[in-house]
Amino acid sequence: MADRPGLAQLHFGREDAERDVTEGLLLRGGFLSNAAYRGALSGRKMLIIGRKGSGKSAICMQLMSDGEGGHRGGKVLVTPDEAAGEEIRRFELQGLPGDSAKALIWRYVFAVHAARHLVDHAKGAHDGGHKADAVKALARFLKQNGEASGGGGGRLVERLAQAARGLQTSLSLEAFGVKASVDLAQSPSEGARAAKQLEIVEQGVTRAFRDLGCDGAVHPPLLLMVDQLEQVWSAEPDSNSMVIGLLLAAKHAASLYGRAVRFLLFLRADIYDSLSFGEGDKFHGDELRITWTEQALRELALARAQASVGAELTEERLWKEFFPQLVGGEEITSHVFGRCLPRPRDAIQFLNLCQEKAWLEHERDRITEADVVQAGRQFSEWKLKDLTSEYLVAHPFLRNLFPLFQNTGYVVTRAALARRFEAAAETLHHDFPAYVNALTLPGIIDVLYGTGFLGVRRGNDVVYAGDDGLPIQSHETEFQVHPCFRAALGATTAFDLRRYEPQLAGARIASGSSGPPGSGSSSLNRDDRLLMQLARSCHSILAQVGRAVALTRDVRDEITVQVTCVLDEVNRIPPGAAASVGVDVDDYLLTTAHYFTGLAAELRAGGLEEGTGVGEVAGRMEEEARRLRRTAGGSYGSSGDSGGA
């Protein structure tokens, strides 16, 4: 294999932040600071919300790092596994609703982490601080309850189990001068007793922060983060209560500990948006949603490429030397990033796949257009499967909706989708009886839009979820499958139009079987006049398409492509030589007229609104088809099956 250090070294990183950190790429400059990171680092926001793969864990890993860009103070990361999640989900307290009970166990987790941090911090950062009464009380509390650093409660699930038992019965609070059996005996309920015990622990933590002067002014605060809740979420009421309890606990603890502790919760957008609780409106000011533009993804790609190849790599060199400038006539960055959902993981996967196709599979020293196209097909298949997995919990029927869009145009109207859904509704309702209320036409449109599978046409633009906060409106009738999924579905053309199949043998026409130009008669024969009429019909239709400015551009382009194919074939027939190259002009005109009539019928049946000009385009096609039949001297007969379809 030839030495290709440039392309061989080019790598855009791993799809998951944890491996990126392990391999060092993220820390060598592959991380791109964005609004979500700056909001998290500054402490202005507490909830970092984004779709799967949007970079939540990358922000978390960057803050956890000790290098440049990391949080300078103490930091704790809580990532519940399934066992820990189950412990929280099933935690209950008599006298308290589920959300409030689960908030108590999260508050206990936060208090213990803060206490452990204070005990360790006092030894190293405060001369004699570990001798302070409040710190010694925390150390005794942790030891008595099995929570001391390096103690028996090492794993989160074990600490949660201990916390649950303590809150449901009694914690050892002697370190704070409280004997549970005496001081808490009068609590009216299990929930009230647990809340009172927890308040004593939290007061002990608050006192230690105050006595040490750790209020965020002397040194950075303790950063306490929770990530990867999606690993333990199941869309069941107990799971929702687990997340709501976390939000309530973080809000309470942030107020209680003030500037001494900073909380960051990384939540997947579909989980957060599914929650409904009375306190929800109080969190809007804490929210920060991760959004990515094409320009931001380009900057991310360059930063990661530089981290692998070298800081001297320029944007121009990346896209001109490593990649082809055009793919299918489209500029390379528009082609790549336009086929990704707007999130880093998708961009990283697609770009790495392009590199692998060129270097690993084909041993090339640069990526070709064919490599990008081949990578795009595989990437599209990945993303269609990934979308199913991402929403398997919330929308288990999602995969069963994809056949409604297979092997058809990627522009779909509400009317056309209604016909397809009607044919599939009975099966969907049978297979997913618990989701019958969601499996309606408006319901599936909302789901497909919310997941990013469908975009909606608004004016001259197609808007996808995340671009616009406005949900689908009842009057909106035209949608498009996201470019990310089109190749996997076989939906690579805008509209479900019959493609024009050439009727003539190109090789025979190009062989020069007719005489040289000018060797025949200068007067037009009948065949030439008929072919000129066919060309005029094509130009007339194309002009009408050009005037339909309200028609979706992709649909307009698709019609133009098919009609131009007809025109190009007509123009290739040598003047005065139709018969000599085997063209029966009468049959040719009648077959083409039939093709135009079929296109018009497909356009009318597609459900596009009349206001787009589609009716005028279809009418022009029908009119030109009638003119061609009259010109040829007859109606379309039995010979019509020989071409055009």
Side-chain angles (χ1 to χ4, degrees):
M1 183 185 297
D3 186 22
R4 292 180 291 276
L7 189 59
Q9 294 172 0
L10 180 65
H11 192 247
F12 295 91
R14 299 293 182 182
E15 297 97 333
D16 57 296
E18 293 78 10
R19 289 185 67 192
D20 252 345
V21 168
T22 301
E23 297 179 8
L25 181 65
L26 192 67
L27 304 181
R28 291 201 307 271
F31 179 80
L32 183 69
S33 172
N34 57 14
Y37 168 73
R38 292 189 293 273
L41 184 63
S42 68
R44 298 289 181 86
K45 299 296 181 179
M46 185 175 72
L47 304 179
I48 308 301
I49 302 165
R51 284 193 63 171
K52 182 179 180 181
S54 61
K56 301 185 300 299
S57 292
I59 294 173
C60 184
M61 292 295 101
Q62 185 71 5
L63 291 171
M64 283 294 292
S65 72
D66 295 323
E68 183 179 354
H71 178 66
R72 296 303 184 188
K75 44 211 171 192
V76 175
L77 175 60
V78 178
T79 55
D81 58 15
E82 183 56 40
E86 179 62 23
E87 195 69 48
I88 300 174
R89 284 195 297 266
R90 68 185 183 184
F91 179 71
E92 297 176 345
L93 288 169
Q94 181 268 324
L96 286 181
D99 298 352
S100 299
K102 289 167 178 59
L104 289 188
I105 199 167
W106 279 116
R107 281 169 55 187
Y108 179 83
V109 169
F110 296 156
V112 167
H113 276 299
R116 294 172 71 171
H117 163 74
L118 279 165
V119 171
D120 293 338
H121 173 71
K123 296 176 183 177
H126 295 270
D127 186 23
H130 63 287
K131 298 179 181 179
D133 289 342
V135 175
K136 289 193 290 185
L138 287 182
R140 287 196 301 272
F141 165 77
L142 292 172
K143 184 176 181 180
Q144 290 166 358
N145 290 275
E147 298 285 5
S149 297
R155 293 181 61 228
L156 177 60
V157 64
E158 294 164 355
R159 297 201 302 273
L160 285 169
Q162 290 174 335
R165 287 192 297 270
L167 291 173
Q168 289 170 335
T169 56
S170 62
L171 294 168
S172 177
L173 301 175
E174 286 83 357
F176 304 116
V178 176
K179 293 190 181 298
S181 59
V182 176
D183 298 344
L184 302 176
Q186 303 304 315
S187 299
S189 69
E190 186 180 59
R193 184 175 65 249
K196 192 169 182 179
Q197 290 187 92
L198 185 56
E199 287 171 7
I200 293 169
V201 177
E202 290 175 331
Q203 288 168 6
V205 173
T206 304
R207 188 178 305 113
F209 273 125
R210 184 182 63 243
D211 290 356
L212 290 176
C214 298
D215 60 356
V218 177
H219 50 67
L222 168 66
L223 179 61
L224 214 161
M225 299 185 286
V226 181
D227 191 20
Q228 297 185 16
L229 274 180
E230 62 269 17
Q231 303 296 329
V232 297
W233 183 74
S234 63
E236 298 296 327
D238 284 347
S239 280
N240 286 340
S241 285
M242 175 184 65
V243 181
I244 293 170
L246 171 64
L247 296 174
L248 296 175
K251 191 81 166 177
H252 170 87
S255 176
L256 178 67
Y257 301 132
R259 293 185 299 172
V261 184
R262 183 182 298 165
F263 292 87
L264 274 178
L265 313 180
F266 297 88
L267 297 175
R268 223 169 66 183
D270 58 312
I271 296 176
Y272 184 72
D273 292 338
S274 72
L275 303 177
S276 178
F277 61 111
E279 302 279 312
D281 60 329
K282 297 181 180 180
F283 289 86
H284 294 321
D286 292 311
E287 298 174 7
L288 200 158
R289 291 182 181 262
I290 301 176
T291 58
W292 288 88
T293 63
E294 180 178 321
Q295 179 58 36
L297 290 174
R298 288 180 59 164
E299 293 172 3
L300 176 71
L302 178 60
R304 285 173 165 264
Q306 288 173 333
S308 64
V309 174
E312 69 279 1
L313 178 68
T314 64
E315 184 174 22
E316 182 177 15
R317 183 185 168 213
L318 172 63
W319 299 116
K320 289 187 177 180
E321 293 185 19
F322 286 106
F323 286 85
Q325 294 188 37
L326 298 174
V327 178
E330 188 178 18
E331 197 269 332
I332 179 62
T333 54
S334 297
H335 180 90
V336 169
F337 297 119
R339 282 159 178 75
C340 298
L341 293 179
R343 52 190 182 185
R345 182 172 298 168
D346 284 24
I348 291 168
Q349 288 177 339
F350 196 174
L351 292 169
N352 280 337
L353 194 55
C354 291
Q355 189 268 357
E356 291 166 10
K357 292 295 180 186
W359 183 62
L360 291 180
E361 294 188 18
H362 301 297
E363 302 185 36
R364 304 192 221 274
D365 57 5
R366 73 187 310 271
I367 300 165
T368 68
E369 181 176 359
D371 295 325
V372 177
V373 171
Q374 186 180 2
R377 286 194 294 268
Q378 183 173 333
F379 175 75
S380 182
E381 292 171 0
W382 283 356
K383 293 297 103 180
L384 199 62
K385 293 178 181 177
D386 290 348
L387 195 69
T388 299
S389 301
E390 182 178 353
Y391 290 96
L392 185 61
V393 174
H395 308 305
F397 52 81
L398 184 61
R399 181 179 63 179
N400 298 65
L401 300 180
F402 296 154
L404 302 180
F405 303 91
Q406 283 181 321
N407 301 317
T408 185
Y410 57 77
V411 175
V412 59
T413 64
R414 190 181 289 267
L417 187 53
R419 291 194 297 270
R420 300 176 198 174
F421 177 69
E422 184 180 0
E426 183 177 353
T427 300
L428 287 168
H429 291 167
H430 175 271
D431 292 344
F432 302 95
Y435 295 86
V436 168
N437 291 336
L439 289 170
T440 63
L441 181 63
I444 67 166
I445 290 175
D446 286 344
V447 167
L448 292 168
Y449 176 71
T451 59
F453 180 84
L454 280 185
V456 59
R457 186 183 180 194
R458 290 178 177 154
N460 291 325
D461 296 324
V462 178
V463 176
Y464 294 91
D467 300 335
D468 190 337
L470 186 68
I472 295 290
Q473 304 297 294
S474 59
H475 66 272
E476 292 175 322
T477 60
E478 188 177 319
F479 312 101
Q480 288 193 20
V481 176
H482 194 285
C484 182
F485 310 109
R486 292 174 187 173
L489 292 167
T492 54
T493 58
F495 209 63
D496 192 16
L497 295 177
R498 284 186 300 164
R499 301 183 67 82
Y500 180 72
E501 299 295 339
Q503 303 178 55
L504 310 178
R508 188 168 59 210
I509 293 175
S511 66
S513 56
S514 61
S519 63
S521 170
S522 61
S523 61
L524 291 174
N525 59 31
R526 178 176 180 275
D527 283 353
D528 289 339
R529 289 195 297 272
L530 293 180
L531 293 173
M532 288 179 63
Q533 177 57 55
L534 177 52
R536 282 195 294 269
S537 292
C538 291
H539 285 297
S540 177
I541 294 171
L542 290 173
Q544 188 68 55
V545 173
R547 291 193 291 273
V549 293
L551 194 61
T552 298
R553 185 189 65 185
D554 291 357
V555 175
R556 196 165 65 239
D557 291 347
E558 180 63 23
I559 299 170
T560 299
V561 166
Q562 301 308 324
V563 177
T564 301
C565 285
V566 179
L567 181 61
D568 288 345
E569 188 174 65
V570 173
N571 289 336
R572 288 168 56 222
I573 300 175
S580 65
V581 295
V583 179
D584 183 331
V585 175
D586 289 291
D587 185 67
Y588 185 70
L589 257 66
L590 292 173
T591 300
T592 306
H594 181 63
Y595 175 70
F596 286 156
T597 301
L599 281 189
E602 289 172 344
L603 289 174
R604 293 191 187 281
L608 294 168
E609 289 186 336
E610 285 298 316
T612 63
V614 68
E616 287 84 351
V617 172
R620 176 66 65 183
M621 288 180 175
E622 292 165 342
E623 181 180 337
E624 294 302 332
R626 288 192 294 270
R627 179 176 288 115
L628 291 173
R629 291 190 181 99
R630 288 196 302 270
T631 302
S635 60
Y636 192 78
S638 60
S639 63
D641 290 336
S642 61

